[in-house]
Amino acid sequence: MEMLLVEQLSKSFGDKILFDAISFSIEKGERIGLVGVNGTGKSTFLKILAEKEVADSGKVKHPKDFLVSYLAQDVELDQSLTVLDEVFTGEAPITVAVKEFERARLDLEKDPVSEPFQQQFERAQNKLDRLEAWDHDTQAKTILSKLGITDYEQAVSTLSGGQKKRVALAKALIQPADVLILDEPTNHLDHSSIEWLEQFLPSYRGALILVTHDRYFLNRVTNRIYELDKGNLYRYVGNYETYLEKKQVRLAEAERAEQKHANTLKREIAWLKAGVKARTTKQKARIDRVHQLKEQSFEKQQGKVDLSVASARLGKQVIELREISYSFTGVRLFEPFSFLVKPEDRIGIVGPNGSGKSTLLNIISGRLTQEMGELIVGETVKVGYYTQDHSEMDEGLKIIEYIRKTADVIETTDQQTITAEQMLERFLFPRSQQWTYINRLSGGEKRRLYLLKVLMEEPNVLLLDEPTNDLDTETLAILEDYLDGFPGVVITVSHDRYFLDRVVDQLWIFSDGKAVDTYYGNYTEYLAASKEEAHQAKQVEKQTETKAVDKQRKKKLSYHEQKEWATIEDDISALETAIEEEQAAIVAAGSDSEAVRIHFNKQTELEAKLEEKMERWEELSLMVEAFSD
């Protein structure tokens, strides 16, 4: 069912066309991932759909009672409100009712004997009953807790930037809406929160359109991909993996068509130059045809970022950390940490926000001095530091001026000498744009320019602090390819699972105020090992508790327990088969979002039952073992 219709939508930024006369519709249950190189207008596109910005021309049509819930990339919250009050700001009747109930409940808790407060609370209860909104309040608190926000009465003004983004995300998720629009929802989320969001969004009742750099997330959540490229909108049915396959085919076909067109044009021009004698009308027709062929355009292979910058030679001694530690406002961020960094090491730093990851990078780069311990840096080490906020970027400069401050010419890995202008072109900044002021660039374009500056310094030790934030998926893929062949050391802080899997082969794992652990392997392997370790610890704990109980009881299984024990393994097997059937049904449903939602909910229900059965099996097996002993 069509909910949103867009007709001939156009938007320009100065002399740059973001999108030109694009038309499409969005239907209920569609989960759309919006992709494109930074600067193509993805965030502007979302703002127009959310009616936060106006298009130059075109129409966005929807029913009168149509509701949109929107998460902006740069969130703006009311600093005077508490977390819960901010989450429940909105005009939807359910949202208003829940907000009134929460306020009435808090007032009554402060003064339980107040008759006006009791009456206010009763009215709020009745209103929730009428709207059947009790689950809405519970869902809001569940979403907040899943996103790491547990103090609902905390003032918004006291939250960190990452916490504010998570509150804004929770607010967007709980608002009843026909279309949910999310701009970079995974920024500032840890792995467990992203994993929960991946499970939550497929069952969202409305349509969904999002921009994200997290390719695992994009692949698992979407069933449509929209691509903005050179003012055009290309639409694909399927997830991100399917999009990559179909785009490759489309570009190959366009390239073949362009070659055929070029050959035809070459023949026509040769014919004209030869001055073939023919009737005037026929010759004029062929001349007109040449002009038409010249004007005809074909989609060419999209411009690609070229990361072929050379790096300085790196000796055997790189960096050694000896009992390094640091405190902030009297609180130790992490216990003394020692590590010997070797040439060609690829290290990922993971852990919760505020645990000291960026602090350690600042210590290694020399921007901070450690509180205790010793940092030994080799004589040949040349650090390139891609910071999270690129605060040193002077946005009053023009693009070319900013790059020339680093170097006018550089040498590439294939020993070519190229100018700053040429290097900018390789980074998708054409000559026509190079005299543009930096403050006129999009957030993603600024990040790409900043990355170029860091690489042009020809480092042999790269420190990357959340490099995936605000970089488009295509630039990230090329950065990953570059790092594959980078001859120096890479140390990166990131929450992006795909990026970590591609780039690193060992991890430094931070946790609040504790020792830094090390793990040799990629991020997915670490997560799997952590889950297995936690599962085994839980099993040992359960076995210990059950054995203690059994030693006290030391009794034979009851009649009902014996019957249960006789059939429980068959029950488990049946549940596993049913889950596999639901998973197959989800795949078979394809783009039928309602069917996907139904089968996903059924799968979740069966998985919960299976977990209960497994726990019961463990209890009964321990009882049998205890009795046999």
Side-chain angles (χ1 to χ4, degrees):
M1 177 182 174
E2 187 178 277
M3 298 190 301
L4 185 72
L5 179 64
V6 175
E7 296 178 340
Q8 299 295 302
L9 200 68
S10 297
K11 182 70 176 180
S12 297
F13 186 67
D15 58 355
K16 182 177 182 180
I17 298 174
L18 297 181
F19 32 92
D20 183 23
I22 60 175
S23 300
F24 60 94
S25 62
I26 297 177
E27 299 182 3
K28 183 178 180 180
E30 289 188 341
R31 299 186 294 283
I32 302 164
L34 180 63
V35 301
V37 175
N38 288 136
T40 53
K42 298 189 296 295
S43 291
T44 302
F45 182 89
L46 296 187
K47 287 175 184 176
I48 291 172
L49 294 187
E51 299 183 341
K52 303 295 182 181
E53 196 166 315
V54 179
D56 295 337
S57 62
K59 295 179 180 179
V60 179
K61 298 179 179 179
H62 53 71
K64 188 176 180 180
D65 57 350
F66 188 79
L67 290 175
V68 171
S69 187
Y70 171 59
L71 172 71
Q73 193 173 88
D74 300 313
V75 300
E76 294 182 6
L77 305 180
D78 189 333
Q79 303 295 309
S80 66
L81 297 179
T82 65
V83 166
L84 205 58
D85 284 341
E86 175 61 41
V87 166
F88 285 128
T89 54
E91 299 178 0
I94 288 179
T95 302
V96 172
V98 171
K99 183 180 177 182
E100 290 173 355
F101 173 78
E102 285 296 328
R103 183 51 51 204
R105 181 183 61 79
L106 290 171
D107 288 342
L108 189 61
E109 284 180 358
K110 293 173 184 175
D111 189 359
V113 297
S114 168
E115 190 170 333
F117 284 168
Q118 290 173 356
Q119 293 172 351
Q120 174 184 285
F121 183 74
E122 187 176 350
R123 287 195 299 271
Q125 276 185 313
N126 292 336
K127 191 171 184 180
L128 285 181
D129 287 337
R130 287 197 307 274
L131 294 172
E132 298 180 346
W134 288 101
D135 287 346
H136 194 67
D137 176 57
T138 304
Q139 185 186 34
K141 291 177 179 176
T142 299
I143 289 173
L144 281 167
S145 64
K146 292 292 185 181
L147 296 176
I149 304 294
T150 54
D151 186 354
Y152 311 137
E153 295 306 312
Q154 185 176 359
V156 169
S157 59
T158 65
L159 300 176
S160 67
Q163 288 173 320
K164 288 176 181 176
K165 182 69 182 266
R166 281 177 270 156
V167 168
L169 175 57
K171 179 180 177 180
L173 294 177
I174 69 163
Q175 301 292 329
D178 297 290
V179 173
L180 174 63
I181 301 175
L182 304 175
D183 197 347
E184 293 290 1
T186 60
N187 281 3
H188 305 291
L189 295 187
D190 58 21
H191 170 73
S192 60
S193 296
I194 293 173
E195 199 173 52
W196 170 81
L197 190 59
E198 284 178 348
Q199 296 171 349
F200 176 84
L201 289 177
S203 60
Y204 189 79
R205 288 187 175 274
L208 166 70
I209 180 165
L210 62 90
V211 170
T212 180
H213 62 266
D214 188 324
R215 283 153 289 176
Y216 281 155
F217 184 83
L218 193 60
N219 202 48
R220 292 166 182 169
V221 169
T222 62
N223 58 19
R224 299 283 191 283
I225 296 292
Y226 285 8
E227 180 187 18
L228 280 173
D229 180 27
K230 301 184 184 71
N232 299 315
L233 181 71
Y234 299 95
R235 292 178 290 165
Y236 303 83
V237 176
N239 61 8
Y240 184 65
E241 182 181 350
T242 305
Y243 149 73
L244 292 176
E245 294 168 352
K246 290 183 177 179
K247 180 182 178 181
Q248 187 178 21
V249 171
R250 174 171 65 82
L251 291 178
E253 289 174 349
E255 193 172 346
R256 285 194 294 270
E258 184 182 19
Q259 186 60 49
K260 184 178 179 181
H261 167 77
N263 291 337
T264 303
L265 183 59
K266 183 178 179 180
R267 288 194 300 271
E268 292 292 300
I269 292 172
W271 181 87
L272 289 175
K273 286 182 177 179
V276 176
K277 301 296 182 182
R279 288 178 300 170
T280 305
T281 53
K282 185 176 180 181
Q283 189 171 12
K284 183 179 185 304
R286 295 200 72 158
I287 291 171
D288 290 342
R289 184 180 169 198
V290 170
H291 289 313
Q292 290 171 5
L293 286 167
K294 283 183 175 180
E295 292 173 2
Q296 188 175 353
S297 64
F298 289 84
E299 185 187 0
K300 296 182 179 180
Q301 284 281 354
Q302 188 170 309
K304 291 183 179 180
V305 179
D306 184 353
L307 300 183
S308 56
V309 189
S311 60
R313 186 190 68 84
L314 181 62
K316 291 183 178 179
Q317 185 180 23
V318 186
I319 295 168
E320 185 176 359
L321 308 174
R322 293 182 178 176
E323 297 295 306
I324 297 290
S325 188
Y326 195 84
S327 296
F328 182 70
T329 62
V331 178
R332 180 174 284 179
L333 294 178
F334 51 88
E335 292 295 320
F337 177 55
S338 298
F339 196 91
L340 179 64
V341 179
K342 303 175 295 300
E344 299 186 14
D345 268 356
R346 298 288 191 271
I347 301 167
I349 305 179
V350 299
N353 295 325
S355 58
K357 303 186 300 294
S358 296
T359 299
L360 186 58
L361 285 190
N362 283 329
I363 291 172
I364 294 172
S365 69
R367 298 189 179 197
L368 271 182
T369 302
Q370 64 273 18
E371 181 185 62
M372 62 176 290
E374 184 179 7
L375 174 69
I376 301 171
V377 179
E379 291 182 2
T380 61
V381 168
K382 188 174 182 181
V383 173
Y385 190 9
Y386 181 87
T387 62
Q388 199 168 151
D389 59 2
H390 57 268
S391 55
E392 70 267 25
M393 179 178 276
D394 183 353
E395 297 192 8
L397 292 175
K398 295 175 181 177
I399 293 172
I400 186 66
E401 293 171 340
Y402 176 71
I403 289 302
R404 280 178 175 167
K405 287 181 69 176
T406 300
D408 284 321
V409 295
I410 64 165
E411 189 174 285
T412 63
T413 51
D414 54 3
Q415 297 183 333
Q416 292 183 23
T417 299
I418 62 173
T419 65
E421 291 90 344
Q422 290 171 318
M423 199 65 212
L424 280 167
E425 286 181 312
R426 293 186 176 203
F427 259 60
L428 303 187
F429 293 105
R431 301 270 175 142
S432 59
Q433 189 186 15
Q434 291 177 13
W435 291 93
T436 302
Y437 285 99
I438 292 173
N439 58 21
R440 293 179 62 82
L441 300 178
S442 70
E445 286 176 311
K446 290 174 186 175
R447 296 288 281 174
R448 191 184 338 129
L449 181 63
Y450 178 55
L451 175 62
L452 171 59
K453 176 186 179 295
V454 171
L455 296 180
M456 283 184 68
E457 294 168 354
E458 299 186 354
N460 49 33
V461 173
L462 265 177
L463 307 181
L464 306 173
D465 195 356
E466 293 291 1
T468 61
N469 287 359
D470 298 326
L471 285 180
D472 58 84
T473 53
E474 183 172 337
T475 301
L476 282 174
I478 295 162
L479 172 60
E480 289 157 0
D481 287 341
Y482 168 76
L483 294 177
D484 281 345
F486 180 67
V489 170
V490 177
I491 304 177
T492 179
V493 172
S494 182
H495 287 101
D496 190 311
R497 301 158 294 174
Y498 189 99
F499 181 78
L500 289 170
D501 281 353
R502 281 279 278 109
V503 170
V504 310
D505 53 23
Q506 54 185 305
L507 300 171
W508 294 346
I509 301 127
F510 281 65
S511 52
D512 294 329
K514 297 179 182 178
V516 179
D517 291 326
T518 57
Y519 179 83
Y520 289 88
N522 65 28
Y523 193 47
T524 295
E525 291 168 346
Y526 162 70
L527 291 173
S530 298
K531 284 184 178 179
E532 180 61 26
E533 186 178 333
H535 176 71
Q536 289 179 357
K538 187 177 179 181
Q539 297 303 100
V540 170
E541 183 181 350
K542 282 185 176 180
Q543 288 174 6
T544 303
E545 291 175 356
T546 305
K547 283 183 178 180
V549 171
D550 286 342
K551 282 182 180 179
Q552 290 179 357
R553 292 192 304 175
K554 198 70 173 180
K555 69 179 185 68
K556 191 176 180 180
L557 292 180
S558 69
Y559 172 75
H560 291 295
E561 286 171 338
Q562 289 180 43
K563 285 187 66 177
E564 186 180 5
W565 176 245
T567 61
I568 194 166
E569 290 187 358
D570 290 337
D571 295 341
I572 289 170
S573 179
L575 285 168
E576 289 173 338
T577 300
I579 289 170
E580 289 174 0
E581 289 172 352
E582 293 302 324
Q583 290 171 336
I586 290 171
V587 174
S591 60
D592 186 345
S593 57
E594 183 61 22
V596 169
R597 185 185 67 80
I598 292 170
H599 288 298
F600 179 81
N601 289 340
K602 183 65 176 176
Q603 178 187 330
T604 304
E605 180 184 328
L606 289 168
E607 285 172 344
K609 289 181 179 178
L610 177 61
E611 187 174 351
E612 289 178 7
K613 281 288 183 183
M614 291 296 293
E615 289 179 354
R616 181 57 176 161
W617 179 88
E618 289 164 9
E619 291 174 5
L620 291 173
S621 65
L622 288 171
M623 290 170 67
V624 170
E625 181 184 347
F627 180 76
S628 62
D629 289 344

